[in-house]
Amino acid sequence: MNFATLLRRYGTLIGFALILAFFWINLPETFMTARNWLNITQQLSMLMVVACGMTIVMVMGDFDLSVGSAASLAGIVAGVLFAMGYPVWAAVGTALVVGLLGGAFNGILVSFIGILPFVATLATLTMYSGAAFVLSGGKTISGAAIPEPFSSFARGGIPLGEIGGVALALPNLTIVALLTVLASWVLLEQTTFGRRLYAIGGNVEAAYLSGVAVRRLKLIAFSLTGLSAAGAGIMYASRVASANPTQGSGLMLNAIAAVFLGMTMSEHGVPRVLATVIGVLILGVLDNGLTQMSVDSYVRQILVGAIIVLAVAASSIMKRMRR
C-alpha cells in the first residue's frame, strides 16, 4: 500500500488521532479523563441524532437545510404543551409527530413536486423557524412550565461506578444517541430499504428503471430526517430545561460537516453511518478541547467552516483519484 492510498483510506482517522494527541499534550489533566469523555458524548448526543438523519438523505444525494429549525420547532411545541398542562408523553409524542410531518413535507416538495432540495429545505427552514417564534411569542419557555420528569431525564444515566473517587454514569442522552446510531446503521446497511437508498444516490435514473419507488423512498427518508431533528430538539430542551425558538440553529451546519467528514473515509465517497459518527466525534473533540483552552467561540466557528471546506475538497479529490 503506497502513501497516497494510505492517506486516501485513513487520512481522516490519522487527522483525528493527531487532534486527540494535540489536546492530550496541551490538556494532560482534563482532556483524556473518563469524566470529560462522558461529558463530550452528552454534548454531542443531539448532533449525533441529527447527523444520523442527515446521513439518510445524503445517501440519496440530497440534503436537508431545515433540520435546525425543525429541532427548534419541536422543542417549542413540547414546551408550549408543557405550559398548557399536557403530560410529558403527550407533549413529546406531539413534538415528534410535528418533526415527522415537517420532514414529510420536505419529501413531498422534493420528490413529488420536483423542487430542488436546496430550495425546498431553505424555504421550510424559514417556515419552521417562523412557526417556532409564533408559537413561543419569541420567548424562552422555562421555569415551572417545564416538568421535572422531563428535565431530569437529561441529568440521569446508568451508573458506571467510581474512578478516582468520582461517580460516573452513562448519560441518558448518550444512550438515546447510541440507539439512534444503531437503528440508522441497521436501516441503511442491513435492509433492502437502505440498499435502495444507496441505489438512488448512485444513479437515480437507473434505480427508477430498475423498479425502485424513488419518490416514495425519498418521502420516507426525508420524514425520518425530520423525526431525528425533532428528537434532537426535544433532547436539547430536556438538557437545558427550557425551549428556545433558536436553540437548534447550529445543528444543520455541524450535521452536514460531520457527514462530509465521514464521506472522506468511505471507499467510494458515499455517506456511512459509522463514518458519520467519527465526523461527529471530530467536531465534538475540537469544540471541547478548544473550549478548555479558552479559544473564542467565533474562532471555533471559523474552524468548523474550514473543516467543511477541507472535507468537501478531500471528497472531491478522492473521487477524481479513483477515476
Side-chain angles (χ1 to χ4, degrees), residues 178-262:
L178 291 174
L179 291 174
T180 303
V181 169
L182 177 60
S184 301
W185 178 80
V186 170
L187 183 69
L188 289 178
E189 304 293 340
Q190 304 297 318
T191 67
T192 302
F193 174 80
R195 289 191 289 272
R196 288 174 176 172
L197 291 188
Y198 279 110
I200 292 172
N203 189 319
V204 64
E205 292 296 332
Y208 177 79
L209 293 175
S210 299
V212 175
V214 174
R215 290 181 176 178
R216 180 170 60 85
L217 291 178
K218 284 197 172 192
L219 175 62
I220 295 173
F222 273 99
S223 299
L224 292 174
T225 303
L227 181 63
S228 73
I234 293 167
M235 293 164 67
Y236 192 92
S238 176
R239 183 165 182 253
V240 299
S242 64
N244 185 286
T246 62
Q247 65 188 17
S249 58
L251 288 173
M252 179 269 290
L253 181 63
N254 287 331
I256 292 176
V259 178
F260 272 123
L261 280 169

Side-chain angles (χ1 to χ4, degrees), residues 101-133:
L101 293 176
F105 182 60
N106 288 336
I108 291 171
L109 294 178
V110 172
S111 60
F112 288 90
I113 298 180
I115 301 176
L116 292 174
F118 177 84
V119 177
T121 58
L122 181 62
T124 54
L125 178 157
T126 305
M127 291 171 57
Y128 301 156
S129 178
F133 275 96

Side-chain angles (χ1 to χ4, degrees), residues 143-157:
I146 306 298
E148 174 60 24
F150 178 73
S151 58
S152 63
F153 176 79
R155 298 194 300 269

Side-chain angles (χ1 to χ4, degrees), residues 41-42 44-50 71 74-75 92 96 150-151 153-154 172-178 180 228-242 247:
T41 62
Q42 185 179 43
L44 289 178
S45 57
M46 288 74 70
L47 175 58
M48 191 73 76
V49 170
V50 172
V92 170
L96 289 174
F150 178 73
S151 58
F153 176 79
N172 287 332
L173 296 184
T174 300
I175 296 172
V176 173
L178 291 174
T180 303
S228 73
I234 293 167
M235 293 164 67
Y236 192 92
S238 176
R239 183 165 182 253
V240 299
S242 64
Q247 65 188 17

Side-chain angles (χ1 to χ4, degrees), residues 260-290:
F260 272 123
L261 280 169
M263 288 170 63
T264 64
M265 299 171 57
S266 172
E267 180 69 22
H268 302 288
V270 297
R272 299 285 181 184
V273 172
L274 297 184
T276 294
V277 170
I278 299 299
V280 172
L281 287 174
I282 291 174
L283 295 176
V285 166
L286 271 174
D287 187 69
N288 179 269
L290 293 174

Side-chain angles (χ1 to χ4, degrees), residues 57-101:
V57 293
M58 289 184 69
V59 159
M60 305 182 299
D62 297 329
F63 50 86
D64 187 348
L65 300 180
S66 70
V67 290
S69 295
S72 299
L73 177 59
I76 288 297
V77 168
V80 169
L81 293 177
F82 287 147
M84 295 172 63
Y86 282 81
V88 172
W89 67 266
V92 170
T94 302
L96 289 174
V97 170
V98 168
L100 183 69
L101 293 176

